[in-house]
Amino acid sequence: MSDEETDSWSAALIIFLILISGVLLVSGDSLSTDRDVLLQLKSFLEDNNKVNRGRYSEWNIGSSNTSAYPCNWAGITCSHTNGTEARVTGIKISDSYIAGEIFGNFSSLTELTHLDLSRNTLGGVIHSDLGRCQNLVHLNLSHNILSGELMNLTGLSNLEKLDLSVNRFSGEVRMSIPVSCDNLIVMNISANNFTGTINGSFFDGCSKLQYLDLNLNKLTGELWNGFARLLDFSVSENQLSGHVLSSMFIDNCSLHFLDLSENGFVGEFPREISKCRNLVILNLSDNNFTGQIPAELGSILSLEALYLGSNKFSRKIPDSLLNLTKLTFLDLSKNNFQGNIQENLGKFIQVKFLLLHGNSFTGGIISSGILKLPNILRLDLSQNYFSSPLPVEISPVSSLNFLILAYNQFSGAIPPEFGNLSSLQALDLSFNNLTGSIPPTLGKLSSLLWLMLANNSLTGEIPPELGNCTSLLWLNLANNQLSGKIPLELTKIGSNPTPTFESNKRESERIIAGSGECLAMKRWIPADFTPFSFVYALLTRKSCRSLWDRLLQGNGLFQICAPGSSVQTLQISGYVQLSGNCLSGEIPEDIGKMQNFSMLHLGINELYGKLPPQIGQMPLVVLNVSRNKLSGEIPTKIGDITCLLTLDLSFNNFSGTFPASLGKLTNLNKFNISYNPFISGTIPSTGQLATLEKESYLGDPFLQLPDFMNNHTAMSPERKDGRPKRPTKLAGILVFLAIILAFLIYIWMIGCGQTARWNSSGGACRGVLLRISG
Ligand SMILES: *[C@@H]1O[C@H](CO)[C@@H](O)[C@H](O)[C@H]1NC(C)=O
Ligand SMILES: *[C@@H]1O[C@H](CO)[C@@H](O)[C@H](O)[C@H]1NC(C)=O
Ligand SMILES: *[C@@H]1O[C@H](CO)[C@@H](O)[C@H](O)[C@H]1NC(C)=O
Ligand SMILES: *[C@@H]1O[C@H](CO)[C@@H](O)[C@H](O)[C@H]1NC(C)=O
Ligand SMILES: *[C@@H]1O[C@H](CO)[C@@H](O)[C@H](O)[C@H]1NC(C)=O
Ligand SMILES: *[C@@H]1O[C@H](CO)[C@@H](O)[C@H](O)[C@H]1NC(C)=O
Ligand SMILES: *[C@@H]1O[C@H](CO)[C@@H](O)[C@H](O)[C@H]1NC(C)=O
Ligand SMILES: *[C@@H]1O[C@H](CO)[C@@H](O)[C@H](O)[C@H]1NC(C)=O
Ligand SMILES: *[C@@H]1O[C@H](CO)[C@@H](O)[C@H](O)[C@H]1NC(C)=O
């Protein structure tokens, strides 16, 4: 090359470099622009979030060079290629209490590949800026409250992982798939409001797709026929319909996980499922599948969990399934199986969870051999038509943790042998026709957390031995005919459940949202009592499963507080429900030692004597002693139970002065002192008690209510327009009539209140006497 040539080449090179750097400057591609954008982001977030802030608020704090270097900031990652300048490639500000809209200048971070804004409360729609982040590989916006349609993301052709789960996105699902999705591996849009069909070829172009989660949307139409090449496909809780076709199961089906539950699929389930040789979990529950359970399932040796509940499969269980040595979870609930339990179920020695609830079985518990299954942990036979006596043939070395026999017609006595089932954590025999008394041997069940015997016809006394059940936190003996005293020893139940919880934490089973938990939870958590009622509203299949897990591991469900303290903690807390029996005698003073209990329901019994002041030492949320014969003063100490929400003292014979201390119960929202004809005193016109309805104080003639409660009707016109009305002549007459009427009601209540009281509190037990004598 000549010098001239070299010169001109150099000149060209220089010009070229200038041009390039000019372009770079224009588009602002450098770490320092990245830094500027991050500082814009920080101030944007700080403007939107004045109080709680995540670690982004620490960015650029401090005077050293290192604290000014963006690659050192919390949640920021940078590229570190040798020689070239580092650039910001990742932002992770999940779980950082961020509210407001999504920041609108992410696209100025031209090397951004990873963006994680999950678990915040970001709202609004996704604007076009995010769609210009061409290099994004991972985008996680899950667990926010974002809404609108997703058109703007369809240009992101480099995406490998897209997680939009648990938001409020809507629109047609096919419009939210990236137009070019060659690189997409994970797509999770579960728990949104997506609509439309998936049976087109929209996902076919996503050739690398392995995980597709469409659960909990509003998808309609038929199933996408390409799903069998994925590893993980779930579309549960949608409105899909039609048949699952045999052609959908290609020879090289690679599914590990297939969840089609809670849709409207019909017809037979194709035997070609056996081509999915690596399938681990198959969930077909809550559909309308009919015909045989495919025998070919028996060749999928990897299968661990099979959910067939809530369908219309015919009753033959193929023997081939016995080959599945890893099968631990078998759900055959709600298929309207009749007659005896299938004979071969007793041969599934590998099974740990056997769910047969909600069928129409009438027998075969013993002949099928299911009680001898060596590995069984949970056996659910509830909601069938078994009418025999309870079976005693359960092996005493049984591993059984949960024995659920509720809602049948089992009769006779509870076998004392049940006390030998030493691993039992829940024994649910409620809603049957059981008679006789509660066997004292149940006191040997030291791991028992739930003892549910409600709504039977059990008689006799509560055995003091139950006090040895140191894990027992949820005791429901309501609606029986138990009599005698509440044994002193009963106050020792649930005093140390920790060993049971600890062992559950060690052995928590890896099984996805199951079956039957909700039915059990709804029996085990009383719906009509706050604070359980708020939990109730959240009960879905998945939340039941997670509630169940939480309870079993000793995690609390709601806030409780120690008496006298307003510090609320989320702590495990139990209940004692003895209502609707014929228990008599006094409530033991030791009840104050029951520190793990927050609901005490003793209503409709014959308890007498004073309410022990020690009750004020319990961390109670609900106390219901209505319809008993309790007398004497209401203990002032009840005013210490700071977190009390419900207090029902109605239909008793409390006397003396109404304790002013109850005014301290600022959380109280259900209160009833009605029909205690000897109670006297004054309800203060300010504080919590004054906010309650007049119906809290019916039939208490000596109790003085604040004026506004008595004159409620006369007051209301004033309240409506906010200023007092001058009484007209008509209003005067009305007030006069109202006073007369109130007086008449008052007289009537004094007379009638007592008769009503004695009639109702004696009702249940009088029934028993009749039954016994008759
Ligand atoms: C985005 O950031 C760049 C670089 O700091 C800046 O020039 C631009 O004005 C910003 N755009 C918006 C809309 O804030
Ligand atoms: C998205 O974030 C959530 C919560 O931070 C996390 O559990 C989930 O695994 C992430 N998704 C992906 C696909 O990584
Ligand atoms: C999708 O997201 C939900 C909720 O965040 C999560 O529970 C589920 O495991 C995810 N699915 C996949 C396949 O990762
Ligand atoms: C599955 O087999 C079909 C042909 O039968 C083939 O086209 C496809 O690439 C295979 N898929 C995988 C994931 O191996
Ligand atoms: C199953 O079919 C019945 C009528 O045959 C219908 O009432 C029911 O809703 C269907 N169940 C599901 C889950 O689609
Ligand atoms: C439980 O027993 C009570 C009292 O006998 C009765 O009122 C109630 O209806 C029963 N509940 C059910 C579901 O049978
Ligand atoms: C208290 O128990 C009685 C009898 O079971 C019931 O009728 C009443 O509704 C309960 N009170 C409250 C406030 O829940
Ligand atoms: C109810 O209490 C009053 C006042 O203490 C007492 O005189 C009366 O005998 C009691 N009634 C019953 C039935 O116990
Ligand atoms: C208190 O109990 C009585 C009798 O059961 C009932 O009529 C009244 O409505 C109850 N009051 C409240 C506030 O629930």
Side-chain angles (χ1 to χ4, degrees):
M1 252 187 247
S2 72
D3 278 356
E4 248 181 48
E5 272 174 359
T6 328
D7 279 355
S8 59
W9 272 109
S10 320
L13 190 65
I14 286 166
I15 290 169
F16 179 71
L17 283 178
I18 288 172
L19 279 177
I20 290 277
S21 58
V23 169
L24 287 182
L25 279 178
V26 167
S27 66
D29 273 356
S30 73
L31 185 61
S32 91
T33 27
D34 288 352
R35 190 174 179 279
D36 289 345
V37 179
L38 290 179
L39 290 176
Q40 287 167 32
L41 171 61
K42 176 181 169 175
S43 65
F44 175 84
L45 294 176
E46 288 181 341
D47 284 348
N48 280 341
N49 300 277
K50 304 285 186 207
V51 198
N52 273 330
R53 285 174 180 168
R55 295 195 59 200
Y56 62 82
S57 62
E58 297 162 16
W59 293 351
N60 201 28
I61 300 273
S63 49
S64 66
N65 274 344
T66 48
S67 57
Y69 183 61
C71 299
N72 287 342
W73 295 350
I76 302 300
T77 40
C78 288
S79 58
H80 286 287
T81 37
N82 286 340
T84 58
E85 192 187 24
R87 294 293 308 277
V88 170
T89 54
I91 303 180
K92 180 176 161 91
I93 34 180
S94 59
D95 230 336
S96 299
Y97 320 101
I98 303 170
E101 296 223 330
I102 294 187
F103 174 63
N105 204 5
F106 282 118
S107 62
S108 291
L109 299 163
T110 52
E111 296 288 310
L112 191 65
T113 55
H114 289 65
L115 179 59
D116 184 349
L117 304 175
S118 62
R119 291 192 193 276
N120 287 297
T121 31
L122 288 165
V125 299
I126 292 185
H127 26 74
S128 53
D129 172 69
L130 210 51
R132 285 193 295 268
C133 298
Q134 291 292 337
N135 290 320
L136 273 184
V137 173
H138 290 190
L139 176 60
N140 196 339
L141 302 176
S142 67
H143 296 269
N144 278 291
I145 50 171
L146 294 161
S147 56
E149 304 194 10
L150 285 179
M151 316 293 192
N152 284 325
L153 291 187
T154 52
L156 300 178
S157 56
N158 288 309
L159 274 184
E160 290 174 11
K161 288 189 183 175
L162 176 61
D163 191 344
L164 305 175
S165 60
V166 197
N167 274 290
R168 298 170 185 174
F169 290 118
S170 57
E172 293 248 343
V173 65
R174 66 194 162 92
M175 305 301 280
S176 48
I177 309 163
V179 173
S180 156
C181 60
D182 295 342
N183 294 306
L184 201 61
I185 299 169
V186 179
M187 176 155 168
N188 192 342
I189 59 167
S190 65
N192 279 289
N193 296 319
F194 286 109
T195 52
T197 58
I198 53 167
N199 57 343
S201 52
F202 331 121
F203 293 107
D204 289 345
C206 316
S207 56
K208 292 186 187 155
L209 196 61
Q210 297 197 322
Y211 301 87
L212 180 57
D213 192 337
L214 307 174
N215 287 345
L216 261 168
N217 279 291
K218 297 182 171 136
L219 306 176
T220 49
E222 303 201 341
L223 193 55
W224 166 46
N225 63 10
F227 67 85
R229 68 174 164 83
L230 309 183
L231 285 180
D232 198 335
F233 178 65
S234 16
V235 67
S236 87
E237 295 184 72
N238 279 287
Q239 295 148 26
L240 299 187
S241 55
H243 288 75
V244 177
L245 304 177
S246 48
S247 59
M248 291 174 177
F249 294 99
I250 47 174
D251 288 340
N252 46 9
C253 166
S254 24
L255 287 168
H256 283 130
F257 180 94
L258 176 60
D259 187 351
L260 304 179
S261 62
E262 294 193 54
N263 279 287
F265 294 117
V266 295
E268 298 204 7
F269 191 76
R271 64 178 70 168
E272 286 74 9
I273 182 70
S274 60
K275 293 179 182 172
C276 307
R277 312 208 60 83
N278 298 316
L279 197 63
V280 178
I281 295 177
L282 176 61
N283 194 339
L284 305 180
S285 59
D286 280 287
N287 279 292
N288 263 332
F289 288 115
T290 49
Q292 301 282 334
I293 297 168
E296 290 75 6
L297 282 172
S299 65
I300 309 175
L301 297 178
S302 49
L303 207 58
E304 292 177 16
L306 187 53
Y307 297 78
L308 304 176
S310 292
N311 278 294
K312 294 171 180 162
F313 284 112
S314 55
R315 58 167 275 135
K316 184 170 182 290
I317 317 269
D319 276 334
S320 62
L321 300 190
L322 292 169
N323 301 336
L324 302 174
T325 50
K326 292 185 179 163
L327 189 71
T328 52
F329 193 103
L330 182 55
D331 172 13
L332 297 167
S333 64
K334 296 193 190 168
N335 270 281
N336 199 27
F337 295 147
Q338 297 174 358
N340 285 347
I341 290 176
Q342 289 87 337
E343 285 292 324
N344 59 356
L345 280 180
K347 296 184 196 155
F348 281 85
I349 51 172
Q350 67 278 42
V351 162
K352 294 183 177 174
F353 300 82
L354 182 58
L355 308 174
L356 301 175
H357 58 269
N359 282 295
S360 303
F361 288 122
T362 50
I365 296 180
I366 296 163
S367 58
S368 67
I370 56 169
L371 295 177
K372 305 265 189 220
L373 290 173
N375 291 304
I376 193 97
L377 288 179
R378 184 162 131 219
L379 179 62
D380 190 343
L381 301 179
S382 61
Q383 296 184 313
N384 278 289
Y385 298 108
F386 299 111
S387 56
S388 59
L390 290 171
V392 288
E393 285 77 0
I394 310 177
S395 154
V397 290
S398 168
S399 51
L400 204 55
N401 284 159
F402 302 100
L403 180 57
I404 304 176
L405 305 176
Y407 280 102
N408 278 289
Q409 291 149 22
F410 285 112
S411 57
I414 301 173
E417 289 85 347
F418 278 13
N420 299 332
L421 302 173
S422 53
S423 310
L424 270 193
Q425 296 194 13
L427 178 60
D428 188 348
L429 308 177
S430 49
F431 300 91
N432 278 293
N433 301 328
L434 301 175
T435 52
S437 52
I438 301 173
T441 52
L442 296 188
K444 292 192 286 182
L445 298 174
S446 58
S447 302
L448 200 63
L449 294 167
W450 281 276
L451 179 59
M452 313 296 289
L453 305 178
N455 278 70
N456 280 289
S457 302
L458 299 170
T459 51
E461 303 198 1
I462 299 174
E465 288 81 356
L466 281 191
N468 297 332
C469 298
T470 46
S471 293
L472 184 56
L473 282 176
W474 295 284
L475 173 64
N476 190 351
L477 307 179
N479 299 326
N480 280 287
Q481 287 133 33
L482 300 169
S483 55
K485 291 186 174 180
I486 297 176
L488 180 62
E489 291 80 357
L490 200 66
T491 59
K492 292 191 298 186
I493 62 169
S495 52
N496 186 17
T498 315
T500 306
F501 292 141
E502 288 303 318
S503 90
N504 285 343
K505 278 182 198 163
R506 284 194 300 272
E507 290 161 25
S508 63
E509 286 283 331
R510 187 191 60 88
I511 293 283
I512 59 154
S515 170
E517 283 100 343
C518 263
L519 290 171
M521 277 299 145
K522 286 186 174 173
R523 277 194 306 278
W524 297 0
I525 301 179
D528 46 339
F529 303 115
T530 41
F532 297 98
S533 51
F534 89 94
V535 179
Y536 226 65
L538 309 175
L539 294 185
T540 61
R541 191 164 55 115
K542 292 204 176 63
S543 62
C544 287
R545 173 70 200 182
S546 87
L547 276 180
W548 175 291
D549 285 343
R550 290 180 61 83
L551 288 174
L552 287 180
Q553 297 185 19
N555 298 305
L557 289 188
F558 55 88
Q559 306 278 342
I560 60 169
C561 62
S565 156
S566 51
V567 181
Q568 307 210 348
T569 54
L570 199 60
Q571 210 173 303
I572 199 84
S573 184
Y575 58 63
V576 174
Q577 298 191 64
L578 304 177
S579 57
N581 281 289
C582 307
L583 298 169
S584 57
E586 302 194 12
I587 298 172
E589 290 182 355
D590 275 0
I591 202 153
K593 295 186 183 155
M594 301 184 77
Q595 289 299 310
N596 291 332
F597 291 82
S598 288
M599 189 176 103
L600 194 56
H601 201 328
L602 307 177
I604 321 188
N605 277 292
E606 310 263 292
L607 300 168
Y608 55 77
K610 290 189 173 177
L611 194 56
Q614 287 84 348
I615 212 161
Q617 292 158 14
M618 295 179 72
L620 287 175
V621 174
V622 176
L623 174 61
N624 190 337
V625 295
S626 81
R627 296 178 197 265
N628 277 287
K629 295 176 173 169
L630 297 170
S631 58
E633 300 206 342
I634 298 169
T636 326
K637 292 282 181 200
I638 292 185
D640 294 344
I641 314 180
T642 331
C643 284
L644 202 61
L645 293 174
T646 300
L647 175 60
D648 195 340
L649 306 170
S650 63
F651 289 104
N652 276 289
N653 195 26
F654 288 113
S655 54
T657 314
F658 185 88
S661 66
L662 298 194
K664 291 191 293 182
L665 298 173
T666 47
N667 293 312
L668 200 62
N669 59 35
K670 279 193 193 164
F671 175 67
N672 209 334
I673 180 73
S674 299
Y675 305 108
N676 283 280
F678 295 97
I679 198 91
S680 60
T682 310
I683 303 298
S685 59
T686 55
Q688 188 69 17
L689 293 173
T691 66
L692 302 165
E693 320 142 81
K694 193 179 171 182
E695 283 69 33
S696 299
Y697 308 99
L698 302 173
D700 301 329
F702 302 122
L703 200 56
Q704 242 188 327
L705 302 186
D707 284 345
F708 61 81
M709 258 187 218
N710 285 318
N711 300 332
H712 191 74
T713 43
M715 278 281 289
S716 46
E718 289 177 29
R719 285 188 177 172
K720 264 185 199 134
D721 59 12
R723 71 196 135 81
K725 271 197 176 148
R726 208 152 27 98
T728 62
K729 209 172 174 184
L730 181 64
I733 294 170
L734 285 179
V735 169
F736 178 72
L737 286 176
I739 290 172
I740 299 238
L741 190 63
F743 182 71
L744 288 175
I745 290 177
Y746 172 88
I747 299 281
W748 175 77
M749 282 192 311
I750 295 177
C752 178
Q754 290 190 55
T755 39
R757 189 173 98 77
W758 299 124
N759 279 344
S760 45
S761 74
C765 302
R766 211 167 291 139
V768 182
L769 288 180
L770 283 178
R771 223 183 282 192
I772 290 169
S773 58

